[in-house]
Amino acid sequence: MKYKTAIFFALALLLFSCQDNNQKRLSENKKEMQRREIIFKNIEKGWVFYDTPVTEASEKSLATWNAWRIFLAELALKPRKSIKAFQQKSKALSKKVMDLNENIPYEYSKPQIKSRISTLITKVRLLDLFINLDAIPDKKVTQLVSEINLELVSLQRQMDKITEKSKIPIEEGESELMKMMDTTRAIPNSPIIDPNIPRVE
C-alpha cells in the first residue's frame, strides 16, 4: 500500500513538472518569436540601399560595365517576407559584388577604384556574415547597410573624378614628361666596379 501511494505521488509530481516545463517552453518560444519579429522589422526598416547611380559617370558605366549594372539591380530588389529572405538576398549580393572586382572596365581599372571596390566587397561580405548568425545583431546589420551606401557613393564619385580627368586635354610635351617620370622605364643602376678589388675570372 505504501508503495502504491509513493508511486502515485511520484507520477503526480512528474505530471505536474512536465506541464510546468511545457508552459516554460511555450513562453520561451513566444518570447523568441517576438524577438525575431522585432529583429525582422528593424532590418526591414534599415534595408535601404542607394541602388540608382548618383553621378553621371556611374550612370554611363551601366551600359558598358555589366557587373556594375547587375549589382545595382540586385540591390534594388528588397526582400519582404522573412529573415530567411534577407539572408538569401545577402548571399546573392555577396556573389554579385565579387564580380565587380574581376570585370572592371579599362578606364576605371585604377588603384583608387580597386581599393573602393575592395572596401565595398568587405562590407557586403560582413553584412552576409552578420545576417546569417544565430543571434542576428540587427543594429550591426542596419549600420552595415548605411556603410555600404557610403562606399557606393564614394565609388561613384571616384568614377566621376576619373571621367572628368580624362576630359582634360594633354598639353604639348606632357606625354614626354610623363614618360621621363615613369620609374619603370628608368635605366637600372648597375653596381660600380672598383678596379682595385681583385676579381675571379
Side-chain angles (χ1 to χ4, degrees):
M1 188 73 176
K2 289 180 185 178
Y3 295 116
K4 289 182 181 178
T5 56
I7 291 174
F8 175 74
F9 282 121
L11 286 174
L13 182 65
L14 183 65
L15 183 65
F16 286 123
S17 67
C18 286
Q19 286 179 349
D20 189 39
N21 283 342
N22 283 341
Q23 288 176 348
K24 281 182 186 176
R25 196 174 309 123
L26 287 173
S27 67
E28 286 174 7
N29 286 346
K30 188 175 179 182
K31 285 179 187 176
E32 180 66 21
M33 291 297 286
Q34 289 172 344
R35 190 180 67 80
R36 284 182 171 268
E37 188 65 31
I38 290 169
I39 289 172
F40 171 72
K41 286 181 181 176
N42 289 341
I43 291 174
E44 186 179 35
K45 193 187 321 177
W47 195 277
V48 179
F49 287 106
Y50 298 157
D51 54 1
T52 54
V54 178
T55 63
E56 186 180 328
S58 86
E59 192 171 340
K60 286 181 180 175
S61 69
L62 288 176
T64 57
W65 192 2
N66 198 26
W68 176 246
R69 183 171 26 85
I70 291 170
F71 179 67
L72 288 181
E74 191 70 38
L75 281 177
L77 300 172
K78 183 177 179 180
R80 299 252 179 239
K81 294 182 180 178
S82 65
I83 291 285
K84 191 74 174 164
F86 282 101
Q87 290 171 336
Q88 289 171 348
K89 174 57 78 172
S90 69
K91 273 189 176 47
L93 286 173
S94 188
K95 287 178 185 171
K96 301 282 191 268
V97 79
M98 292 303 286
D99 292 339
L100 289 179
N101 209 16
E102 296 170 6
N103 302 321
I104 303 172
Y106 177 75
E107 66 266 18
Y108 298 130
S109 186
K110 302 203 177 329
Q112 306 94 312
I113 295 289
K114 288 180 179 179
S115 68
R116 281 167 176 79
I117 289 173
S118 294
T119 308
L120 182 64
I121 288 170
T122 303
K123 300 286 182 184
V124 172
R125 304 277 312 256
L126 276 173
L127 175 71
D128 186 31
L129 172 80
F130 280 115
I131 205 161
N132 283 298
L133 292 174
D134 290 334
I136 300 170
D138 54 332
K139 289 186 175 113
K140 185 66 180 168
V141 168
T142 53
Q143 179 188 348
L144 278 167
V145 169
S146 63
E147 289 175 12
I148 289 169
N149 283 332
L150 289 174
E151 294 304 324
L152 284 167
V153 170
S154 173
L155 174 63
Q156 292 179 55
R157 288 203 174 127
Q158 189 62 45
M159 288 163 64
D160 207 33
K161 281 182 187 177
I162 289 172
T163 304
E164 289 302 314
K165 279 185 181 179
S166 69
K167 291 178 183 176
I168 299 171
I170 297 175
E171 293 183 14
E172 187 179 324
E174 188 176 355
S175 61
E176 288 83 18
L177 180 65
M178 295 303 284
K179 285 180 186 177
M180 287 173 49
M181 292 176 69
D182 188 6
T183 57
T184 58
R185 295 187 42 174
I187 299 171
N189 291 336
S190 57
I192 298 173
I193 300 172
D194 187 4
N196 296 327
I197 297 175
R199 291 184 289 163
V200 177
E201 292 184 18

